[in-house]
Amino acid sequence: MQQSEFIDIENQFGAHNYKPLDVVLSRGKGVWVWDVDGNKYLDCLAAYSAVNQGHCHPKIMEAMVAQAEKLTLTSRAFRNDQLGPFYRELCQLTNSHKVLPMNSGAEAVETAIKTVRKWGYTVKGVADDNAEIVVCENNFHGRTISIVSFSTDENARAGFGPFTPGFKCVPFGDAAALEAAINENTVAFLIEPIQGEAGVMIPPAGYLKKARELCDQHNIVLILDEIQTGLGRTGKLLAEEYEGVEADLTIIGKALSGGFYPVSAVLSNTEILGVLQPGEHGSTFGGNPLACAVARAALKVLFEEGLIENSFKQGEYFLSELKKISHPAIKEVRGRGLMVALEFHSEIGGARAYCNKLKDEGILAKDTHENIVRFAPPLVIQREEIDILLEAINKVLPPV
Ligand SMILES: *Cc1c(COP(=O)(O)O)cnc(C)c1O
C-alpha cells in the first residue's frame, strides 16, 4: 500500500481525535524510525517519552516475548510471580514503600485522586464529600472526565460536561496563590514538576520546595505527576530531585514499559496507599505478569545502560548548542535533560509548519500550542545524532 492509502483509510474509518503529521511509520530501532516507503527519521518525540529506552529495545523485547510464552494475565483475583519482584524493585529504585500498578497514565492519576480523597476523609478528618485538590493552570494529567474537569484547556473540556467537582486551580509557579487556595478541606496538591504538554514550562527555582513546605504545614498530600518527566527524561530518575523534594505520591507511566505496553503506577509511603482496602479499587490488567516483566526489564535497561546520565549529558549539550543559535524568530529555548522546547515569537508562530519542514529533513518533532516545538528524543541518543538534529533545526528556521 502507498503511504497515501494508509492515510486515507485511517481518515475514513478512524475517529479524528488526533491530527498527526502525514508520516506512516512501520519500523523503529533506537532513536530511528522508518516509514512504509523506507524513509528514515530521527524520532524527537519518543511517543511523549514512553520510548525513553529507544524503539524496540532488544532486552525489553526479549523479556516481553519470554513472559508472553509463559503467562500473560491472571487478574488480581490470583497472585502471580512477577508482581512481588516488580513491586520490590520499583520501591527500591524510587525509595517508596508501596506501589499500586495500573495501565495508562490517566488511570494512575485517577487512582491518586481517589486515594487522597479517601486519605482526606479517613486520616485527615475532612467532612465527607468535601475534599478539595489544588491543581495548576495549563496542567495536563490525561483525558478522563474527572481529569478534564480540572483542565484549563478549552479544547480538552468543551462539550464534555458536566464536570467532577472538588478541584481548585491556581497559576503554575505561584506559591502565594497555592497558599491562598488552601483551606481545611484541601487534601492534596497535584502538579507536574515541569509542565510537558504546556510546552516544557519550568517553574521558578524554589517553587516545588515551597509547595512541599506548604503541604507539610497544612497536612496536605503532595502528588507529583512524573508520567512524562520521570524515569530519566529530565536527566534525573525523577524531576523532583532538581529541587531536593520528595513527593508523598508519585505517578509514573509512559517509559515504565519502554513503550512496549501500557504500564503505570502510583508510588507512596505506607500511610497513603495504605488507606485502600480490598475491593475499593482495581483494574483487570493492572499488575499483570506481562506488564510486570516488561516494566522490570525497562527499569533495568534505564539503569544498566546509564540512560539517566546520558539524558543529563546529551541534554546539556543539546540545550547549550541550541542557545547559541541566534535567530530573530526564536523567543526562547529551555529544558532539562532531554526535555527541551524551542519557542518562536508569537507573531511568527508556525510551530506546526516548522515541524512539517523538519519532517522533510528526517526529523520528527511535535508542535505544542502555536509557537512551541518540543524535542524529547529517546534517551539512548548520542552526540552525533544531536548534531544531525541541530543541523536540521538550523536549516529550516523561518526566513527573516
Ligand atoms: C501522558 C501524560 C498523562 C496521561 O497518560 P496516558 O497514558 O496518556 O493516560 C498524564 N500526565 C502527564 C504529565 C502526561 O504526560
Side-chain angles (χ1 to χ4, degrees):
M1 262 202 283
Q2 294 289 311
Q3 192 126 222
S4 61
E5 267 181 89
F6 283 106
I7 294 170
D8 287 346
I9 55 174
E10 198 180 305
N11 284 340
Q12 186 185 347
F13 295 107
H16 294 188
N17 56 328
Y18 278 89
K19 197 175 123 208
L21 292 188
D22 282 336
V23 56
V24 182
L25 301 172
S26 61
R27 192 159 68 86
K29 187 152 187 49
V31 296
W32 300 101
V33 288
W34 285 263
D35 70 15
V36 290
D37 296 332
N39 299 307
K40 179 180 169 186
Y41 304 87
L42 181 59
D43 179 5
C44 287
L45 185 61
Y48 301 94
S49 296
V51 193
N52 283 1
Q53 295 87 339
H55 287 278
C56 297
H57 194 289
K59 288 199 176 131
I60 309 174
M61 197 267 292
E62 202 179 300
M64 181 158 184
V65 171
Q67 187 61 41
E69 284 175 343
K70 278 171 57 184
L71 185 68
T72 57
L73 180 64
T74 58
S75 88
R76 297 286 302 283
F78 313 115
R79 298 179 189 267
N80 74 73
D81 69 356
Q82 290 295 313
L83 192 60
F86 168 57
Y87 283 173
R88 186 167 63 191
E89 287 160 19
L90 189 53
C91 281
Q92 282 169 351
L93 289 172
T94 59
N95 259 323
S96 310
H97 300 166
K98 288 211 173 288
V99 181
L100 197 158
M102 296 295 281
N103 312 287
S104 69
E107 281 176 304
V109 173
E110 289 273 351
T111 300
I113 292 169
K114 287 174 73 175
T115 305
V116 295
R117 282 181 168 185
K118 177 125 197 250
W119 174 87
Y121 304 131
T122 59
V123 178
K124 183 168 179 173
V126 172
D128 275 357
D129 294 339
N130 278 302
E132 281 182 10
I133 297 171
V134 181
V135 298
C136 289
E137 286 171 8
N138 302 316
N139 67 71
F140 182 83
H141 297 288
R143 300 293 196 171
T144 63
I145 286 290
S146 286
I147 294 172
V148 301
S149 295
F150 57 84
S151 172
T152 55
D153 174 0
E154 258 320 290
N155 259 332
R157 288 166 54 90
F160 299 132
F163 296 114
T164 308
F167 301 96
K168 229 183 208 171
C169 199
V170 297
F172 181 71
D174 182 343
L178 168 61
E179 188 163 21
I182 292 170
N183 62 39
E184 74 277 9
N185 294 326
T186 310
V187 295
F189 177 45
L190 165 63
I191 180 173
E192 302 153 83
I194 296 174
Q195 289 186 328
E197 299 311 299
V200 188
M201 308 309 283
I202 304 171
Y207 171 66
L208 284 182
K209 204 166 222 152
K210 182 72 191 164
R212 175 71 274 177
E213 282 166 23
L214 288 170
C215 288
D216 286 340
Q217 244 168 44
H218 298 274
N219 194 22
I220 290 165
V221 177
L222 176 62
I223 312 172
L224 289 184
D225 178 346
E226 296 240 25
I227 292 170
Q228 191 164 147
T229 53
L231 304 177
R233 174 51 57 191
T234 69
K236 305 273 183 197
L237 175 63
L238 297 171
E240 66 174 21
E241 292 168 43
Y242 280 101
E243 291 236 350
V245 300
E246 239 181 89
D248 300 302
L249 281 189
T250 301
I251 310 169
I252 55 175
K254 293 201 165 112
L256 185 52
S257 69
F260 278 79
Y261 196 88
V263 186
S264 64
V266 178
L267 309 169
S268 91
N269 58 19
T270 302
E271 181 190 284
I272 297 171
L273 275 173
V275 301
L276 296 177
Q277 300 301 315
E280 292 180 349
H281 187 62
S283 159
T284 302
F285 278 81
N288 73 71
L290 186 60
C292 293
V294 167
R296 292 176 71 193
L299 286 168
K300 207 164 162 206
V301 164
L302 206 62
F303 283 86
E304 283 188 356
E305 300 191 2
L307 298 185
I308 300 169
E309 295 79 9
N310 193 58
S311 170
F312 188 87
K313 185 173 130 198
Q314 306 299 346
E316 286 222 306
Y317 173 66
F318 182 40
L319 195 60
S320 71
E321 291 299 306
L322 268 185
K323 282 189 172 152
K324 287 183 195 160
I325 302 176
S326 145
H327 189 280
I330 299 176
K331 183 178 172 200
E332 188 183 43
V333 293
R334 56 178 175 268
R336 284 241 164 99
L338 285 169
M339 188 171 187
V340 172
L342 171 64
E343 180 166 356
F344 294 121
H345 286 290
S346 56
E347 59 277 17
I348 290 161
R352 171 85 183 184
Y354 187 73
C355 287
N356 266 315
K357 283 196 220 151
L358 280 176
K359 180 186 73 134
D360 296 337
E361 297 298 321
I363 305 291
L364 296 182
K366 172 78 170 78
D367 52 302
T368 168
H369 306 285
E370 300 303 308
N371 321 316
I372 305 170
V373 182
R374 177 172 31 177
F375 296 100
L379 310 185
V380 296
I381 197 165
Q382 297 300 312
R383 189 173 168 140
E384 308 82 78
E385 292 150 347
I386 290 190
D387 287 334
I388 293 171
L389 171 59
L390 285 162
E391 199 183 316
I393 289 173
N394 262 304
K395 186 169 171 196
V396 300
L397 280 171
V400 208

